[in-house]
Amino acid sequence: MNAVLAALVAASTSALVTVLSLSLSDRQEQRREARTQRHALNAKYLNPLRFHLVENHFRLLSILKRARRDDGVNAGLLAIDDPAELSAKDVPWFIGPGYTLVSSVYLASCLFAQLKKVREDFPYLHLSAADDTRLAALLLGVQQGFLVDRGVYYATQPSIGESVWVRDEERLMTYREFCEALQDPAWRAWFDRLISFYLDVARGEKKQRTERLIAALAKLSAFLDECVGGGKSIESRMRSENILPPGATS
């Protein structure tokens, strides 16, 4: 009788252990799936912004690097004296003498579009409360980087982003579409302060503002690298261009 009871207890214990193990394994699998889904959603909404942060960071550093070699001035961007001149330019100018200036303005406009989109997509992101707050602060830091010292007004930045977003097709304007639109004086006027921003950078003026913006771009990019994964975006881009980023080791 004791042997039968012992066998029943052993069998029950074994069954309970099996059930608990399966339950634990199922919960672990559910957590893994939830993490994978969170990662995929964050990547979907944050990767486009991540890309444009890297492009703008690299462009600004390239402009400053060229300026340092040429007595603090980047003549390649100084293709005009006043933003209004853009609307009178023809196609060859936009892909020739004016390309560096206009493409810099285009990249910044695309960045504004992605900043606006991420703010709109906040409800779909899966971040902790602390990361959610940190993301909002870092987004604001980039916008302030463009704003300070008579830069691009805070309220107009989203409007610039909206202007280059083709809503019906859910895409950004191409560079060609952007240049064609700039030939309309009324449309271009919304970009005048951003154009002036890059003319200031090219002349070597308001360096603290430029350095502040570069730092803000780098901070937000590093945060998104943590959220999305896949390595250090800015460092990877600079290494691909054979430029060693500050603080990195060869």
Side-chain angles (χ1 to χ4, degrees), residues 59-244:
R59 177 59 64 94
L60 282 167
L61 281 182
S62 298
I63 292 170
L64 291 185
K65 183 180 179 183
R66 174 68 181 273
R68 291 190 191 104
R69 291 203 308 261
D70 299 334
D71 298 323
V73 175
N74 189 322
L77 264 75
L78 297 175
I80 56 173
D81 295 317
D82 185 275
E85 297 175 37
L86 279 178
S87 295
K89 299 300 183 180
D90 56 12
V91 172
W93 184 87
F94 284 102
I95 57 177
Y99 173 77
T100 304
L101 171 63
V102 179
S103 64
S104 298
V105 175
Y106 170 70
L107 289 173
S109 302
C110 291
L111 175 61
F112 288 155
Q114 296 301 339
L115 289 169
K116 180 178 183 294
K117 196 166 187 305
V118 166
R119 287 194 178 280
E120 292 173 348
D121 291 339
F122 252 97
Y124 305 104
L125 297 175
H126 287 259
L127 301 172
S128 67
D131 282 347
D132 196 67
T133 301
R134 187 179 171 200
L135 175 58
L138 291 171
L139 291 171
L140 180 60
V142 171
Q143 292 183 287
Q144 289 176 330
F146 280 100
L147 166 67
V148 295
D149 203 0
R150 294 184 56 79
V152 186
Y153 296 138
Y154 179 81
T156 63
Q157 291 179 25
S159 294
I160 290 173
E162 181 69 22
S163 294
V164 298
W165 183 253
V166 184
R167 189 165 290 277
D168 291 345
E169 301 177 28
E170 289 292 304
R171 66 173 178 85
L172 292 165
M173 277 185 171
T174 64
Y175 178 67
R176 175 177 177 173
E177 290 170 331
F178 182 70
C179 293
E180 290 172 348
L182 285 174
Q183 292 174 310
D184 175 1
W187 194 86
R188 186 222 70 242
W190 286 96
F191 295 79
D192 282 359
R193 295 201 69 85
L194 182 55
I195 296 165
S196 295
F197 180 96
Y198 277 94
L199 290 174
D200 288 343
V201 176
R203 296 185 188 108
E205 300 173 358
K206 303 179 181 178
K207 291 182 179 178
Q208 287 187 334
R209 181 180 68 187
T210 306
E211 291 168 355
R212 173 177 175 170
L213 174 57
I214 289 172
L217 293 169
K219 288 178 181 177
L220 179 53
S221 178
F223 173 76
L224 297 186
D225 289 343
E226 294 174 9
C227 292
V228 177
K232 299 179 179 179
S233 301
I234 287 178
E235 184 172 327
S236 296
R237 172 62 189 275
M238 295 181 75
R239 286 186 184 280
S240 72
E241 300 282 351
N242 295 317
I243 302 173
L244 196 64

Side-chain angles (χ1 to χ4, degrees), residues 18-36:
T18 299
V19 170
L20 290 174
S21 297
L22 290 172
S23 177
L24 180 60
S25 176
D26 185 55
R27 288 182 182 178
Q28 290 174 336
E29 181 62 28
Q30 289 177 353
R31 291 194 188 100
R32 282 194 293 269
E33 289 179 0
R35 283 196 299 269
T36 300

